[in-house]
Structure formats: structure tokens, C-alpha cells
């Protein structure tokens, strides 16, 4: 009994001491500048997911580094509309009234939130608010941002074909949903364009276009990757989140054994993720969506007082919203130059990349 | 009654100590990240309870946990470890959603039919592991884990194939208002919260389960099988039948949780997710001492934690990951309550020893 009392007393001391320290720190004079309070709710997955959440957050952090923004992200307990709306409410009640949400899963939640919190601003990336039946309504306080994934996939396809010259490609997708499909279709068009116009011969077989069905199963991605490489595929374009990481791991293991295999990354520049030895990476290039730029631009627009509320924006080649990374150590400079030419053709409209399946595979 | 009271008192003490230690450990985490734990917890509870809407949302968050907690607790009482509440919840939710999206009936009848469908779906997902256990002695832990993934992939296939929302990629069509456990008067009463009829079903079911376990022959037999399977068999009880029955009821309970989650808290069922509520149910059951009433209150406590966490994160500099960690620590302390029990036992024995020594002296004196 005595011992327990001593322990309790000690604990009380420690707590009390720490709390009083804390108070002293808080008393220090605080410089208050009127900062825009920017909140973000993460999609399923973590803030460092090398994809959506991370891209959005990096855009917010960039604005924060300029000192104009104080930022906060919340991680919902589940992935239902109720979970999302609750976290949006938490941000709102805490004064974060500029709220960025990444991913189509927020569509119905933002639809509910934009009327519930009319004095808040919402940026919905890769989605459009609707009540669940596609009667989309972009409120005056909301901006929807889409990306031209097909253009990004197209450019990655051209780069891949040019660098390899000859060979076989594969595609691993996550869920079979529009952004992923558009990456795939664009990639196929890019290969075909290079084969027709740039004297390459990189083919993709229907059996090597696979949607795994999740964005999370790393092991399944590794198996799919191994299967494709075993069948003679030289390069796999992965638009599959965690599943893609599995394929990257497989490629890294093979590259260490001097096999000549490549991965084309997605969403962000995944070069660093594919490093297997020194600074050698199995990432040939990446089909990027500049999510961070989109988030940053919207924050800047709000600060400057011209938030494009009610609009649906598309990030594509014309506003540098998509493309391959600025630096690609695995691409020859001649290839990079050629891709830059093609980029300009897409930008000017000379080349039109279709966002539809048409007669493409899957 | 006199014998029972101290026991209940003790269980309560143990659990309150577990909660307190969990909160204290969480406080240490908050301090180590440079935050004031008192402010942190104040915001946690404010976030869960500061207005009607938030109270409603807390109860709504707790509702599926009550069901999964009951599910795990019920199986525990028969000596079975049900890790399959997630899968059972999915199966029940899928069946209820299927009915809700296809059948046209007046609301009360439709909800009743959905409830039945959830019971059948979840029950089936519990029945199979129970059956395998009874007949072939396949360990239920393994069987229920496998059933989780079967449910996961069944949902993954069935929802896009038959119930896909036209422009919703990872969800089923939205459940129509007529098939939702949400009712306007309740939503309005609590300022637009997600509280729904599921919560009242949960309270009712908790009481029913309490009655079954405490007051019926069936409950007695189920518990007997849990205490000592062979003794129960020797006493002429049909242990195998009871194992199957217990798992089926456990599955059905989690199945109703699926109804409350997907047709109450949420408005559609999602693919690609093995719901956390199933695993939280294990913690709820442990911390609730495997008793229906304990589960009810523990689930409400978990509801407060889950619901208030976001506001705590928003108002302080405590990162969301720490919020999750604090909940995990609480669960950890709930699981290690056996240590607390031992510690209490030890203290108790010492205390009793001392008293008996003292009274012994008195007796001696008296004797003289």
C-alpha cells in the first residue's frame, strides 16, 4: 500500500512538473499574424503514402513554408461518408475553414459539407461533389479538380517506348476506376504513338494488363510483377498504390541479380523509391499528377481573394498539371528532349489523347 | 446477492484501473510530443460530447462496436475466440444492403426484413467456423480469420457486379431513405447527427443477450461448455451443438452490426475494406469483461475515443497518429487486465493477512 502511494505521488510530481513547464512555455509572447487556416482530411492510407495524401499535404506545406498558412490534417477513423463529414466538422469547429480533401471517396462527403458549412471553402481533388447519384453540384464554396491522367500516361508511354526501343510492356492497376483506367489507356496510346511515329517497337499484350482490385496489397503486386517479368515483360507501368510498391520490390530484387527490368511509376516521382543499389533505380520514369501544385495554387488563389468557387478545373498539359518528372536519370537526354517535343504537341492540341477506352485493351 | 456484489465491484475496479492506466499512458505520450494532456483529454471529451450533434455521432459510432463487442463476448462465454466479427459484419451488412436495394416494402417491414437478412448473413459466417470446430475440431481462430477474407472478397465481387452505384466506384448504390435506419425525427432531434435506430436495437439486443446468458438453460449450457468442455459433455450437455449455436449467434450479432454500420451510420457498403469494428470488438469485449452490460458501456467509451479524437487533433498539436496510439494503448491495457487482477489479488491477500493477524490477536486476547 505504501509503495503504491509513493508511486502515485511520484507520478503526480512528474505530471505536475511537466504541466507547469508547459504553461511557462505557453506564456511566451506569441507573434500573431493572420494566417489562413488550411485543413486536410486524409483518404484511406497515411499522410506519407507516396501518392495522393502526401502530394496534397506537400502542396499545403509549401504554402505553409511561405508563412501565410497554418495547417492541420486529420485522419478519419473509417472511410464512410459519416467519418469524413465528422472530420470536416472537427476542422471547421477548430477554425480551419479552408479544407482540402484528396480523392474521389470524398465526393458525397463534400456534397454534404458544402451546404452544411457555407462559409467554409472546399477543394476536392480528383472528384466532384454529388449526393451519390451523380447529380453533381459544385457549390459556390467548392472547387473540383481533375487531372488528365491519360495525357500523363501517354507521355510516360512515349518515354518508355523511346528508351527501350524494342520490348514488351505490362500494366498493373489498382481498382478499376476512371483515374487508373485513364492512366492505362493513355499509356497504351503512348506506346502506339511511338511505335507508329518514332520508330519503336514496344508492345503490350492484353494478358499483361491487370487490375489487382485494391490499392493496398503489396504481396499481390509482387506476385503480379513476378508473373509478368517471368513471361518476358521488360517494363511494367504501375498505377496501383501499395500494389505497385510490391511490383517495385520485385523489380528491385531482379535488378540486383542483373536482370534488365523496369517500372514506370505513378502520381509522384517514384525514382527514389526504386533505388536498389547506390543511386541506381528501377524507375524508368513516372506518370505524374502535380497534386501538390493543385493544392498550392488553390491556397494562393484564396489568399489573393480569387478562389474559383463553383468551378471544375482540369489539370493537364496546358497548365503543367501532368507529365513526366523534370529529371529522369534513367532516360537518355535525347529521349527526354523527344518527350518534351511530344509534350508540346499534346499541349498545343496537335496530338489528342483520348480519355476513353475506345478499342484499347481493358 | 451478498456473494455476487463484491465480485462485480472487483471487476469494475479492475476495468476502471485499466482505463485509468491507459489514459495515463496516453498522457505520457501527449507530454512526450510537447502537449498538455489535460487540454488534450478535455478536447477529446468535448469533441465527443460538447453538443447534441456530437453526442449523437458518438452514440452512432459506438453502435456497431456494441454489436461486435457482444459477438466476441458471446463466443468468449462459450470458450470460443471469435476473431471473425469483421467478416460476419461484412456478410450481414451485404445481405441487409442487398435486401435494402432490391426489395420494395413499407419502411417498418423492410427494416425488419433487412434485420433478418443481416442475422442470416452474419449467422452463416459464424455457423461455418462453429460447424468446422464441432465436427473436425478446426480451430475457430483460424477458421474465422479465413472467413474474414472470404467475406472481404465476396463483397469485393458482389457489390460491383450487382449493386454498383453508377458513379460510385468503391461503394454500392446509396441506400434509399426508406431502407435506412436513420429516421428524420431522430436526426432532427440531435441536430443532424448520424444516430439511428441501430442504437436502440443495440441496447435491446444487449439486454436480450444478458437474459440469455444469465437466466436461461441455454445460456447456462453455453457457459458450461466454456468453463470445461469435457465436464459439460460428461454432464450430458450437447457440447458440439452448443459450439455451433454459440458461433452462429455470435455471427448473427456481428451481422446486425453490419446492418447498423452500412444502413445506419453509412449510406452504402464499401468494397476493399475489412471493417475495424470487428477487431475493436475484441477489445470492447475484453474491457467489458465479456458481459453484455460491460460491453455496452465499453463500446460507448470507445465511441467517445473514436469520435473525440479528431477534435482533439484539430484543437491541439497532437498528431493524428498519436491519437490512434492512445487508443491502441488503452486497448493494450484492457488486454492486460489480468496483470491488474493479479496485482489486486496480491494486495488483497496482504490486506486480508494483516487483518487476520490482527483479528487473531484480538481472539487470543479475548481468549485470555
Amino acid at each position: 500500500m505504501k509503495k503504491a502511494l509513493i508511486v502515485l505521488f511520484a507520478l503526480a510530481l512528474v505530471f505536475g512538473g511537466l504541466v507547469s513547464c508547459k504553461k511557462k512555455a505557453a506564456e511566451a509572447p506569441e507573434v500573431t499574424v493572420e494566417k489562413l487556416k488550411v485543413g486536410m482530411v486524409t483518404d484511406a492510407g497515411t499522410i506519407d503514402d507516396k501518392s495522393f495524401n502526401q502530394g496534397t499535404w506537400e502542396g499545403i506545406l509549401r504554402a505553409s513554408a511561405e508563412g501565410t498558412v497554418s495547417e492541420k490534417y486529420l485522419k478519419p477513423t473509417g472511410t464512410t461518408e459519416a467519418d469524413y463529414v465528422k472530420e470536416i466538422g472537427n476542422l471547421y469547429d477548430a477554425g480551419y475553414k479552408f479544407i482540402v480533401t484528396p480523392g474521389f471517396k470524398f465526393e458525397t462527403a463534400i456534397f454534404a459539407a458544402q451546404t452544411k458549412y457555407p462559409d467554409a471553402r472546399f477543394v476536392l481533388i480528383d472528384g466532384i461533389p454529388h449526393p451519390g447519384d451523380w447529380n453533381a453540384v459544385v457549390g459556390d464554396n467548392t472547387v473540383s479538380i481533375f487531372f488528365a491522367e491519360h495525357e500523363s500516361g501517354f507521355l510516360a508511354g512515349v518515354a518508355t517506348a523511346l528508351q527501350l526501343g524494342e520490348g514488351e510492356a505490362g500494366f498493373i492497376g489498382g481498382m478499376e476506376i476512371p483515374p487508373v483506367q485513364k492512366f492505362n489507356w493513355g499509356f497504351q496510346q503512348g506506346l502506339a504513338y511511338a511505335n507508329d511515329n518514332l520508330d519503336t517497337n514496344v508492345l503490350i499484350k492484353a494478358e499483361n494488363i491487370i487490375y489487382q482490385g485494391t490499392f493496398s496489397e503489396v504481396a499481390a503486386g509482387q506476385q503480379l510483377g513476378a508473373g509478368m517479368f517471368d513471361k518476358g515483360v521488360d517494363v511494367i507501368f504501375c498505377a496501383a498504390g501499395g500494389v505497385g510498391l510490391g511490383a517495385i520490390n520485385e523489380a528491385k530484387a531482379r535488378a540486383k541479380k542483373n536482370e534488365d527490368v523496369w517500372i514506370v511509376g505513378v502520381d509522384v516521382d517514384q525514382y527514389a523509391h526504386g533505388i536498389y543499389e547506390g543511386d541506381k533505380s528501377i524507375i524508368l520514369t513516372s506518370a505524374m499528377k502535380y497534386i501538390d501544385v493543385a493544392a498550392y495554387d488553390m491556397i494562393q488563389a484564396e489568399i489573393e481573394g480569387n478562389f474559383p468557387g463553383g468551378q471544375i478545373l482540369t489539370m493537364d498539359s496546358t497548365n503543367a498539371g501532368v507529365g513526366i518528372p523534370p529529371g529522369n536519370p534513367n532516360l537518355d537526354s535525347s529521349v527526354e528532349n523527344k518527350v518534351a517535343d511530344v509534350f508540346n504537341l499534346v499541349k498545343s492540341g496537335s496530338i489528342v489523347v483520348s480519355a476513353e477506352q475506345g478499342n484499347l485493351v481493358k | 446477492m451478498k456473494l455476487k456484489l463484491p465480485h462485480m465491484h472487483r471487476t469494475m475496479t479492475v476495468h476502471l484501473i485499466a482505463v485509468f492506466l491507459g489514459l495515463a499512458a496516453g498522457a505520457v505520450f501527449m507530454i512526450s510530443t510537447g502537449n498538455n494532456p489535460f487540454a488534450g483529454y478535455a478536447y477529446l471529451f468535448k469533441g465527443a460530447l460538447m453538443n447534441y450533434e456530437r453526442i449523437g455521432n458518438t452514440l452512432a459510432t459506438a453502435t456497431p462496436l456494441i454489436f461486435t463487442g457482444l459477438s466476441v463476448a458471446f463466443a468468449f462465454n462459450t470458450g470460443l475466440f471469435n476473431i471473425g466479427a469483421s467478416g460476419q459484419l461484412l456478410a450481414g451488412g451485404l445481405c441487409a444492403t442487398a435486401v435494402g436495394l432490391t426489395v420494395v416494402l413499407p419502411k417498418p417491414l423492410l427494416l425488419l426484413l433487412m434485420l433478418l437478412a443481416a442475422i442470416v448473413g452474419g449467422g452463416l459466417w459464424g455457423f461455418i467456423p462453429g460447424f468446422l470446430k464441432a465436427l473436425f475440431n478446426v480451430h475457430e481462430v483460424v477458421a474465422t480469420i479465413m472467413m474474414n477474407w472470404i467475406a472481404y472478397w465476396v463483397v469485393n465481387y458482389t457489390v460491383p457486379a450487382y449493386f454498383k452505384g453508377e458513379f460510385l466506384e468503391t461503394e454500392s448504390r446509396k441506400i434509399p431513405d426508406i431502407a435506412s435506419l436513420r429516421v428524420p425525427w431522430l436526426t432532427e432531434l440531435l441536430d443532424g447527427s448520424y444516430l439511428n435506430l441501430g442504437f436502440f436495437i443495440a441496447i435491446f439486443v444487449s439486454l436480450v443477450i444478458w437474459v440469455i446468458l444469465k437466466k436461461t438453460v441455454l445460456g447456462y449450457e453455453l457457459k458450461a461448455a466454456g468453463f470445461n468442455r469435457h465436464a459439460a459433455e460428461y454432464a450430458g450437455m450437447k457440447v458440439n451443438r452448443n459450439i455451433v449455436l454459440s458461433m452462429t449467434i455470435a455471427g448473427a450479432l456481428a451481422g446486425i452490426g453490419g446492418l447498423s454500420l452500412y444502413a445506419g451510420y453509412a449510406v452504402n457498403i464499401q468494397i476493399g475494406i475489412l471493417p475495424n469494428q470487428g477487431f475493436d470488438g475484441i477489445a470492447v469485449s475484453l474491457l467489458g469483461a465479456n458481459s453484455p452490460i460491460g460491453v455496452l458501456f465499453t463500446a460507448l467509451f470507445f465511441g467517445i475515443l473514436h469520435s473525440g479524437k479528431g477534435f482533439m487533433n484539430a484543437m491541439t498539436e497532437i498528431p493524428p497518429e498519436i491519437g490512434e496510439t492512445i487508443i491502441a494503448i488503452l486497448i493494450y491495457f484492457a488486454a492486460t487486465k489480468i496483470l491488474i487482477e493479479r496485482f489486486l489479488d496480491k494486495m488483497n491477500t496482504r490486506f486480508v493477512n494483516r487483518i487476520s493477524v490482527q483479528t487473531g490477536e484480538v481472539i487470543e486476547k479475548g481468549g485470555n
Side-chain angles (χ1 to χ4, degrees), chain A residues 85-106:
Chain A
V85 175
K86 266 162 60 182
E87 297 310 334
I88 290 169
N90 284 329
L91 284 171
Y92 182 88
D93 286 349
Y96 293 88
K97 297 189 178 176
F98 188 94
I99 296 169
V100 188
T101 55
F104 65 93
K105 285 197 167 186
F106 284 96

Side-chain angles (χ1 to χ4, degrees), chain A residues 1 18 22 72-74 77 79-80 82-83 85-87 90 93-94 105 116 131 134 175 177-178 217, chain B residues 31 34 53-54 61 152-153 167-170 174 194 265 270 273 306 310-311 313-316 320-321 347:
Chain A
M1 218 45 203
L18 280 165
K22 193 68 200 145
K72 171 85 68 188
Y73 74 89
L74 294 185
T77 312
T79 54
T80 65
D83 292 313
V85 175
K86 266 162 60 182
E87 297 310 334
N90 284 329
D93 286 349
K105 285 197 167 186
K116 192 172 175 188
W134 200 243
M175 287 179 175
I177 56 173
E217 293 195 22
Chain B
I31 292 169
E53 186 191 355
R54 285 180 183 269
T61 311
Y152 175 94
W153 287 108
F167 290 94
L168 296 168
E169 301 303 335
T170 53
K174 195 178 170 182
Y194 296 104
Y265 184 68
Q270 299 182 309
I273 283 170
H306 281 307
F311 190 64
N313 293 148
M315 293 302 292
T316 65
E321 287 76 11
M347 298 304 274

Side-chain angles (χ1 to χ4, degrees), chain B residues 15-78:
Chain B
H15 289 93
L16 289 178
I17 290 176
V19 168
F20 175 76
L21 285 178
L23 291 174
V28 170
F29 256 86
M30 289 187 206
I31 292 169
S32 67
T33 52
N35 288 284
N36 180 347
F38 294 106
Y41 282 123
Y43 286 125
L44 182 83
F45 285 99
K46 265 190 194 166
L49 305 166
M50 74 177 164
N51 56 35
Y52 287 131
E53 186 191 355
R54 285 180 183 269
I55 292 171
N57 284 342
T58 299
L59 298 180
T61 311
T63 305
L65 292 176
I66 298 175
F67 286 112
T68 53
L70 283 176
S71 167
V72 177
F74 196 85
F76 258 138
N77 273 296
T78 320

Side-chain angles (χ1 to χ4, degrees), chain A residues 183-223:
Chain A
F183 268 126
N184 170 22
W185 298 332
F187 185 70
Q188 292 182 47
Q189 291 174 68
L191 294 179
Y193 175 84
N195 291 344
D196 292 346
N197 302 300
L198 303 171
D199 202 25
T200 65
N201 186 26
V202 178
L203 301 172
I204 187 162
K205 287 183 186 161
E207 65 187 54
N208 290 329
I209 296 176
I210 295 172
Y211 293 95
Q212 197 272 334
T214 76
F215 290 109
S216 54
E217 293 195 22
V218 181
Q222 183 144 11
Q223 280 174 11

Side-chain angles (χ1 to χ4, degrees), chain A residues 89-299:
Chain A
N90 284 329
L91 284 171
Y92 182 88
D93 286 349
Y96 293 88
K97 297 189 178 176
F98 188 94
I99 296 169
V100 188
T101 55
F104 65 93
K105 285 197 167 186
F106 284 96
E107 287 180 334
T108 55
I110 294 295
F111 180 83
Q114 67 186 5
T115 40
K116 192 172 175 188
Y117 305 110
D119 62 327
R121 304 272 202 215
F122 297 100
V123 177
L124 174 54
I125 295 175
D126 243 19
I128 186 164
H130 64 83
D133 56 7
W134 200 243
N135 288 314
V137 180
V138 184
D140 289 338
N141 53 344
T142 303
V143 170
S144 261
I145 299 177
F146 284 99
F147 287 85
E149 288 92 359
H150 47 291
E151 292 186 355
S152 189
F154 181 86
L155 294 163
V158 171
T160 303
L162 283 170
Q163 184 64 34
L164 261 64
E166 199 162 320
E168 207 181 311
F171 172 83
I172 297 176
M175 287 179 175
E176 201 165 351
I177 56 173
V180 179
Q181 290 170 310
K182 277 154 70 186
F183 268 126
N184 170 22
W185 298 332
F187 185 70
Q188 292 182 47
Q189 291 174 68
L191 294 179
Y193 175 84
N195 291 344
D196 292 346
N197 302 300
L198 303 171
D199 202 25
T200 65
N201 186 26
V202 178
L203 301 172
I204 187 162
K205 287 183 186 161
E207 65 187 54
N208 290 329
I209 296 176
I210 295 172
Y211 293 95
Q212 197 272 334
T214 76
F215 290 109
S216 54
E217 293 195 22
V218 181
Q222 183 144 11
Q223 280 174 11
L224 285 175
M228 284 190 195
F229 288 136
D230 283 342
K231 281 191 278 183
V233 170
D234 305 298
V235 55
I236 303 175
F237 177 29
C238 297
V243 179
L245 297 183
I248 288 175
N249 291 340
E250 178 65 21
K252 283 202 274 195
R254 285 176 184 244
K256 274 186 198 155
K257 293 183 216 150
N258 292 322
E259 274 187 61
D260 199 17
V261 293
W262 300 101
I263 297 280
V264 175
V266 78
D267 287 344
V268 293
D269 184 357
Q270 293 192 305
Y271 186 86
H273 222 81
I275 288 176
Y276 59 95
E277 214 176 78
D279 56 355
K280 286 196 284 186
S281 171
I282 46 88
I283 300 291
L284 194 60
T285 182
S286 298
M288 288 184 66
K289 287 158 84 165
Y290 289 91
I291 302 158
D292 54 334
V293 175
Y296 177 83
D297 285 355
M298 286 307 111
I299 293 169

